[in-house]
Amino acid sequence: MSKISVTIYNEYVHERKNEFVKKIYPEGIHGTIAAYMRQEPDLNIRTATLEEPEHGLTEAVLNETDVLMWWGHIAHDQVRDVVVDRVQQRVLNGMGLVVMHSGHYSKVFKRLMGTSCGLCWREAAERERIWVVNPNHPITQGVGPYIEIPNAEMYGEQFDIPDPDELLFISWFEGGEVFRSGATWHRGRGRIFYFRPGHETYPIFHNQQVLKVLTNGVRWVKFSGNAETTGIGACYQITEPLETLSEKDYEQGMIEHPEEFLQS
Amino acid sequence: MSKISVTIYNEYVHERKNEFVKKIYPEGIHGTIAAYMRQEPDLNIRTATLEEPEHGLTEAVLNETDVLMWWGHIAHDQVRDVVVDRVQQRVLNGMGLVVMHSGHYSKVFKRLMGTSCGLCWREAAERERIWVVNPNHPITQGVGPYIEIPNAEMYGEQFDIPDPDELLFISWFEGGEVFRSGATWHRGRGRIFYFRPGHETYPIFHNQQVLKVLTNGVRWVKFSGNAETTGIGACYQITEPLETLSEKDYEQGMIEHPEEFLQS
Amino acid sequence: MSKISVTIYNEYVHERKNEFVKKIYPEGIHGTIAAYMRQEPDLNIRTATLEEPEHGLTEAVLNETDVLMWWGHIAHDQVRDVVVDRVQQRVLNGMGLVVMHSGHYSKVFKRLMGTSCGLCWREAAERERIWVVNPNHPITQGVGPYIEIPNAEMYGEQFDIPDPDELLFISWFEGGEVFRSGATWHRGRGRIFYFRPGHETYPIFHNQQVLKVLTNGVRWVKFSGNAETTGIGACYQITEPLETLSEKDYEQGMIEHPEEFLQS
Amino acid sequence: MSKISVTIYNEYVHERKNEFVKKIYPEGIHGTIAAYMRQEPDLNIRTATLEEPEHGLTEAVLNETDVLMWWGHIAHDQVRDVVVDRVQQRVLNGMGLVVMHSGHYSKVFKRLMGTSCGLCWREAAERERIWVVNPNHPITQGVGPYIEIPNAEMYGEQFDIPDPDELLFISWFEGGEVFRSGATWHRGRGRIFYFRPGHETYPIFHNQQVLKVLTNGVRWVKFSGNAETTGIGACYQITEPLETLSEKDYEQGMIEHPEEFLQS
């Protein structure tokens, strides 16, 4: 069996500027996630960062990528539109996408959702409890009825997203809010999983349950559908009908008075 | 009760160039729809076309519009991005949107869907039968179990759209295809209804059942939700928690060794 | 415009046995809700209780009922199956249903959901905050971004329901749980709205925001769909095809060796 | 890796009474499906029929079954309610279910859907074309853009089912109807896949593409979710809150005048 080719994108800005963040993620958030996932025998991991040429997301890299993971925060605006276009096209053609935490406000996620992806937030190191609400889904497997995070940034509703295809997790926050923390959508042939936990100033990407869910997510968004349909990215003309059509007395250019065909 | 303010956008190109089309829609597709809808006492109708300044969709017009209807075909690319941005923002803030026929490939619809909105098509004047599959929805009211169109352009699956919130109609085509012809989504506070029938070379916008469904659609997409939530178009910081937080021993800048908080 | 005919079913057991409950709901829970709703000019209210013949839900009553509201708790098992069958049939044929609080475990709701409708609960007079997560829906109109209940019984996930058609509210509880508190489904021509708040030992059905949401719910579940489709409650044979069929060389009884038609 | 344990239930009545049917399915419909699936190395196949004790679906059999397939037609009523109850409980607890063709009207499917599951039908050996509308799903994998069936019984809308979690296939029929032919739902921890093709008088269960989809379906409905949530089949009391509750001045029995807590 061939491995799943995963590319972890991280803007990688906070970790180089802020000493506090650097202590938590000395190799970057992408490095911490990559280290965990490299232990999985079915995953092949590479990383990409903002400062690389084309943010490390060249045509060649994306074409070889089965699943793209995305983390960004203060540098969303610096992601070039040509790369956003490219990622969108690859998702429509079957690349899986896992969007993490503040990636909710990335150009890539907004483009695929069609909404503003706004929310409310508070940074007060409060407790979060992420409840499983769909016991039927592979992404929720193996993490018990909930995941508890002792210190987290709060994200609260109303979260401006399209209704998910599947709602998997809902977060409770100590300060009084709730949030749809784990959800899936499909766009074209591509599957998308958004998972809320994670922030640069908390060691949440070291949490084994969070990493477990992300790994479940990677496996689930990997394309396993039908590659033979048309309609993605084009309007195909079908010149020959599949069935024999009845004779038509209506044809542009052949009839002089189309207004006589007006229906009541 | 105040009336619903409806703006019907039509690119209005075919009807001025093509004699055949002109005979079917002498006042333009928008004119035909407007004439029908002006008979409805609860609707206030205006129209907008591509060649008008800002395509007739200025800030002022959109701010006064409860429901925007959209028809376009060969001039999708000429719609300016600034107007597309504006329409998207208004939808997120509660303006309803009814997209008709070839409007599936408009910039506006693609932007809100996040997909390519591709499909397959054939122009052979074939018979279409549009079946109601949701008997529970106001949009399907009053048109019987199906609508029959004697001569139609075919649109076939796979239609590259996000899974609808509600699937209302499925079309059968004489030539052998099917199509998800009527569906709804919401984006932010705005409701969207896509309805397939209609083409410039067929008198389908004179069909009373089609016009009935469009009118049902206008009434249904009109905003009637909750205007008091936040989260649309912004990330709001909440400085004061709703609940008293427990004392925290985790705070950036206050602790010297955040790596000690790393969780297994 | 004709009024909406609403029947409020309450088992009406706690209020007659328990002095504490009686002080909160001297006319029964149904009486409190009815008193509020009778102020609405478009609603026609009647009530029904367990001890009435056929629980007050005779064929005649249900046939005249546009919307049935349901509250039950300790006497779910005493509801006769013949009445459950009757309510299900009426819902499939277009009667709206609003299920309140502990009604989640009623025979009627379980029958229509197909699941166990289990959950977890705690009675500790804790604070609940019911967040709007769909700003687009008439049921969420007019209650701000959330409703706060000072003292409530907790209901927690995992709530064993089918994925809702629309998720409208999510509750936060002081004790650490979350719950999908407001949701809709359709079954046949009937719409269903479940709303969590309310318990016999708390005065929650006196809360004006809760009553507002229930009233929104009544108006929304009222049938306004397509009454002309078939398929509800029967398998209809269509003897004459809508289209002329091609000649068939396959017909039972006419061919001697059907095994020759086996396809690879 | 352990194999998936599949039980194929077939009422097995037509095939023993009708010579024509017997020629097509000499070992019964279940026998034909079993023969195909036994070639799959990851599947372990057994069968069950109506006339066996408890229809072959004893507690012991169901407890060992990962996925149950269901075909029935003229003997739906003879299936005992105790077995229906048992199947429902197993589905809620994680057993997958694949319902085929006329199984739409089985007690088991109706129970899990909560609707009548009615439709319209015509037996005229007409052509059917089953279109893939979700290219993203493992069940649609490997069958091209559509499956063509030369001679089929027609099933038409309106099909009285709850809105599917995922709509995968839509059928076109020569006689003019459409049908939602492939769809999924989850109930509790169990996944359900309904697939329309197949009839006793047509050799459709010999069609390799139909068998491919059924096999995809078996693999997909196999439980791979979260087995650690509660709430399925019970209302669990939580006596100890997860969070420390604030002091309450509201407690049944402790306060004498609950009516003073009535909220406006």
Side-chain angles (χ1 to χ4, degrees), chain D residues 149-203:
Chain D
I149 309 283
N151 302 105
E153 183 191 26
M154 182 280 288
Y155 278 6
E157 296 283 345
Q158 195 261 319
F159 185 20
D160 182 26
I161 47 171
D163 274 8
D165 292 355
E166 300 166 307
L167 178 61
L168 307 182
F169 296 96
I170 296 175
S171 281
W172 174 98
F173 289 96
E174 193 182 351
E177 283 87 358
V178 296
F179 194 73
R180 287 170 291 172
S181 278
T184 72
W185 298 263
H186 81 91
R187 292 290 181 268
R189 289 203 187 90
R191 289 174 163 189
I192 301 169
F193 172 49
Y194 174 77
F195 196 46
R196 195 208 87 81
H199 191 62
E200 69 278 4
T201 64
Y202 305 109

Side-chain angles (χ1 to χ4, degrees), chain A residues 242-255:
Chain A
L242 298 161
E243 302 287 321
T244 308
L245 298 178
S246 58
E247 292 215 1
K248 301 298 171 194
D249 53 0
Y250 187 98
E251 191 177 347
Q252 179 178 0
M254 298 294 285
I255 48 173

